[in-house]
Amino acid sequence: MGDLIAWLLSFFILIAVLALVLYQLMCFLDLETDYINPYELATKINSITLPEFITQGVLCFLHLVTRHWFMFLLCLPYLCYNVNLYIHKRHLVYATEVFGELSREKKQRIFKLDDLEYRGYGLRRRRSSLSNTTEQSPLMKAF
């Protein structure tokens, strides 16, 4: 039962990180099509960047505490990348420089989405192995 709760918690945290990254990508696409101005974009992106980093860190820590080493190792490079961005103050988007770095910022978010997709696949594989090793409880049959 503990593995099921850990899996559900991991799933919902992963969905939250995915939603935050998708929102950032949509903001950059809105800027590209001229729906929002650079100041609005910088305000929106900078306000959710730190919650994304914290949520990702919580997910990585959850895998570490629950001793799911493979998922922890999948999360670790993404976490190290976020820590590196934060330490070097490259996690902020500046309104005056946003058009010059639009392509790089979009590619960065797309790369993050790809990484989250791989982790979602790993999480799905973990769930299928979980359902094979335990007896089928009514809660497991729902998923």
Side-chain angles (χ1 to χ4, degrees):
M1 187 67 172
D3 276 340
L4 177 64
I5 292 171
W7 182 85
L8 284 172
L9 199 55
S10 297
F11 177 75
F12 288 123
I13 292 173
L14 185 66
I15 294 297
V17 173
L18 185 67
L20 289 170
V21 173
L22 254 161
Y23 178 74
Q24 291 176 15
L25 186 61
M26 292 302 295
C27 286
F28 281 112
L29 292 174
D30 284 348
L31 178 71
E32 198 173 51
T33 56
D34 219 18
Y35 288 130
I36 61 174
N37 62 37
Y39 297 104
E40 265 184 85
L41 173 87
T43 303
K44 287 180 179 183
I45 297 291
N46 291 340
S47 67
I48 64 169
T49 300
L50 203 55
E52 175 207 345
F53 289 0
I54 292 170
T55 308
Q56 164 58 28
V58 167
L59 180 63
C60 193
F61 182 72
L62 176 70
H63 290 308
L64 179 66
V65 169
T66 58
R67 292 183 284 153
H68 292 107
W69 306 118
F70 180 71
M71 291 304 294
F72 172 70
L73 290 175
L74 282 178
C75 288
L76 199 57
Y78 187 84
L79 181 66
C80 290
Y81 179 72
N82 285 344
V83 168
N84 187 23
L85 284 178
Y86 185 76
I87 288 173
H88 297 298
K89 303 281 189 228
R90 290 185 314 211
H91 66 287
L92 299 174
V93 174
Y94 298 104
T96 56
E97 301 170 357
V98 72
F99 283 111
E101 299 188 8
L102 184 63
S103 176
R104 184 184 65 83
E105 293 286 341
K106 278 181 19 184
K107 286 178 186 174
Q108 178 184 3
R109 274 29 179 227
I110 291 171
F111 180 76
K112 285 182 177 186
L113 282 175
D114 286 343
D115 182 60
L116 292 170
E117 176 186 343
Y118 290 130
R119 280 195 276 147
Y121 177 73
L123 200 58
R124 192 174 81 218
R125 295 286 299 181
R126 192 177 102 199
R127 186 208 144 286
S128 66
S129 69
L130 176 68
S131 65
N132 290 338
T133 59
T134 60
E135 70 254 6
Q136 290 289 338
S137 67
L139 194 55
M140 280 300 288
K141 289 180 182 176
F143 296 103

